[in-house]
Amino acid sequence: MRYVLIGLAAVTLMCSPEQPFPVFTTHTIDEIGNRMGQTSLADMDGDGDLDYVVAESPSSKSRLWWFEFQAADTWVRHDIGTANSDVGGSTADLDGNGYPDFWGGTVLVMNRDGKNFTRHEVGTIFSHDSEFCDVNGDGRLDGVANSDKARLFWYEIPEDSTQKWQEHLIIAKEDHEIHGGASPQPCGDIDGDGDTDIVTGQAWYENIDGAGRQWRQHKNIDLGEFHQYGLAVKTWVGDLDEDGDVDVIQAEADNPDSRVAWFENDGAGAFTRHIIKARGDKQDFHSLVVADFDNDGDLDVFSGGGPLSTPPQRCYIWENENLTWIEHDLGEVVSHEAVGGDVDGDGDIDIVTKPWKVGMRHVYFENQLN
């Protein structure tokens, strides 16, 4: 037997008894904001647990907050200024002071000591996706940004990260009409040549020279459809089948009846598509977290219904049982730009998610495995 919490009631799911799938308990973080994105989990105050970062899309205020984790039902909200991104945001300690900084769209917010923050315009684009990875192989983090209103770029971050970042074009707008696709984990060595490639909607980009100066587009990822906001997917690059190369997992976003799929890599960047979740639930899967939620050594997949879903929006984890998928329903919760991590430090992966519009809950799914 396996048990999954839906709301406040536990339901029983029939599956093999060898590795029980964990219960997830739902907690409310807050009810605040409007048109919210730019989510992240990071230890913002250096106290050893993960905190939650979220911001509004640009408006007259565009507020940016971090929520201090104190207990499952106790999160303290801190205002840290304003933001300037669509929904893209990411955290990393860029200056090495032990406190993670926040990048979203055109704005870098430096975390000075967990209490004081400074805001800097660094010359990056207003983006749907803003992610960190080492593109040019120099051992330092770079930025990757995508928007259908601009193009797909990567940025070299200078030693003083508050100064203007050096922009490099990956693909021009006319060849890359992707509303969102380079998030939450778009980087990996797709072709096995030792350098970092980048995946977005319907294509991956080969880092030809290994230094990020020359790119080749491969349009061989068959997922994503044009709807109200264009073509959008959530992307995760990782070795799902544990064969030594990196695969691609994607969820269709801004789509009123989405699918979730993984793409098996032949080792050189040719893919075979496998559907994890077919159409039919009328959910807009505007979130993707890929992690080992049950600590059995393989990767499972989370997503949930976002703003274009037919209500009620629902959240799911698809448990990986030798690359067959067991669906676990986590309940009626709106999910847009969810993030995952071991929030409470107990050795399992939790999930934090939120709505898009005002008046709905920011939710902490606490994994009760350990």
Side-chain angles (χ1 to χ4, degrees), residues 185 187-188 190 236-242 245-249 262-263 290 299:
Q185 188 168 303
C187 302
I190 298 296
W236 197 289
V237 173
D239 187 3
L240 191 67
D241 55 6
E242 302 177 82
D245 55 36
V246 293
D247 309 299
V248 174
I249 304 95
W262 75 280
F263 294 83
V290 180
L299 294 173

Side-chain angles (χ1 to χ4, degrees), residues 76-197:
V76 179
R77 186 176 71 232
H78 301 271
D79 297 334
I80 51 174
T82 58
N84 189 36
S85 178
D86 185 355
V87 299
S90 193
T91 49
D93 181 9
L94 297 181
D95 59 1
N97 71 346
Y99 294 94
D101 310 300
F102 174 81
W103 172 46
T106 70
V107 171
L108 174 66
V109 177
M110 298 300 292
N111 184 352
R112 299 306 181 184
D113 56 10
K115 298 177 182 178
N116 298 289
F117 298 82
T118 58
R119 183 184 191 275
H120 308 270
E121 294 280 348
V122 290
T124 49
I125 63 170
F126 176 85
S127 60
H128 189 280
D129 309 307
S130 304
E131 300 295 336
F132 290 114
C133 63
D134 181 5
V135 174
N136 59 4
D138 66 354
R140 293 171 50 87
L141 286 177
D142 307 299
V144 176
N146 172 80
S147 172
D148 56 359
K149 297 177 177 63
R151 286 159 278 183
L152 179 64
F153 294 98
W154 75 276
Y155 294 90
E156 284 184 84
I157 302 173
E159 188 73 28
D160 179 354
S161 56
T162 66
Q163 300 302 302
K164 186 176 181 180
W165 296 7
Q166 185 177 355
E167 184 175 88
H168 301 279
L169 176 68
I170 297 173
I171 191 74
K173 179 180 178 180
E174 53 268 26
D175 298 315
H176 181 74
E177 294 186 50
I178 305 298
H179 176 59
S183 172
Q185 188 168 303
C187 302
D189 184 8
I190 298 296
D191 52 2
D193 65 353
D195 55 35
T196 300
D197 309 301

Side-chain angles (χ1 to χ4, degrees), residues 62-348:
S62 303
R63 296 167 293 178
L64 172 64
W65 304 283
W66 72 277
F67 291 82
E68 179 186 351
F69 173 80
Q70 294 187 344
D73 290 307
T74 306
W75 298 73
V76 179
R77 186 176 71 232
H78 301 271
D79 297 334
I80 51 174
T82 58
N84 189 36
S85 178
D86 185 355
V87 299
S90 193
T91 49
D93 181 9
L94 297 181
D95 59 1
N97 71 346
Y99 294 94
D101 310 300
F102 174 81
W103 172 46
T106 70
V107 171
L108 174 66
V109 177
M110 298 300 292
N111 184 352
R112 299 306 181 184
D113 56 10
K115 298 177 182 178
N116 298 289
F117 298 82
T118 58
R119 183 184 191 275
H120 308 270
E121 294 280 348
V122 290
T124 49
I125 63 170
F126 176 85
S127 60
H128 189 280
D129 309 307
S130 304
E131 300 295 336
F132 290 114
C133 63
D134 181 5
V135 174
N136 59 4
D138 66 354
R140 293 171 50 87
L141 286 177
D142 307 299
V144 176
N146 172 80
S147 172
D148 56 359
K149 297 177 177 63
R151 286 159 278 183
L152 179 64
F153 294 98
W154 75 276
Y155 294 90
E156 284 184 84
I157 302 173
E159 188 73 28
D160 179 354
S161 56
T162 66
Q163 300 302 302
K164 186 176 181 180
W165 296 7
Q166 185 177 355
E167 184 175 88
H168 301 279
L169 176 68
I170 297 173
I171 191 74
K173 179 180 178 180
E174 53 268 26
D175 298 315
H176 181 74
E177 294 186 50
I178 305 298
H179 176 59
S183 172
Q185 188 168 303
C187 302
D189 184 8
I190 298 296
D191 52 2
D193 65 353
D195 55 35
T196 300
D197 309 301
I198 296 172
V199 181
T200 67
Q202 296 187 338
W204 67 277
Y205 295 88
E206 180 185 354
N207 188 349
I208 296 173
D209 63 355
R213 300 303 199 273
Q214 300 177 54
W215 298 88
R216 179 180 294 122
Q217 183 187 61
H218 299 268
K219 295 196 73 171
N220 63 351
I221 300 177
D222 181 20
L223 198 73
E225 301 172 334
F226 284 84
H227 286 279
Q228 181 177 346
Y229 300 105
L231 191 150
V233 295
K234 308 303 295 180
T235 298
W236 197 289
V237 173
D239 187 3
L240 191 67
D241 55 6
E242 302 177 82
D243 65 352
D245 55 36
V246 293
D247 309 299
V248 174
I249 304 95
Q250 290 190 331
E252 292 176 316
D254 293 324
N255 181 327
D257 195 8
S258 296
R259 298 167 293 173
V260 179
W262 75 280
F263 294 83
E264 182 180 0
N265 191 348
D266 72 348
F271 293 103
T272 301
R273 189 183 75 181
H274 305 276
I275 296 294
I276 295 173
K277 176 69 171 179
R279 295 186 182 93
D281 274 10
K282 306 293 185 182
Q283 297 293 303
D284 164 21
F285 288 130
H286 209 295
S287 288
L288 183 65
V289 179
V290 180
D292 183 5
F293 292 109
D294 52 2
N295 286 357
D296 67 349
D298 55 31
L299 294 173
D300 311 300
V301 178
F302 166 90
S303 192
L308 297 188
S309 304
T310 299
Q313 286 93 337
R314 307 199 70 86
C315 288
Y316 301 101
I317 291 176
W318 295 280
E319 179 188 359
N320 182 353
E321 286 281 358
N322 299 316
L323 302 177
T324 61
W325 302 94
I326 300 171
E327 182 174 285
H328 300 271
D329 187 336
L330 302 190
E332 294 183 13
V333 173
V334 180
S335 184
H336 181 271
E337 303 291 324
V339 284
D342 186 4
V343 172
D344 49 7
D346 66 351
D348 52 40

Side-chain angles (χ1 to χ4, degrees), residues 350-363:
D350 312 296
I351 300 162
V352 172
T353 192
K354 62 166 191 63
W356 168 240
K357 291 293 184 72
V358 71
M360 293 179 285
R361 294 183 301 161
H362 299 250
V363 168

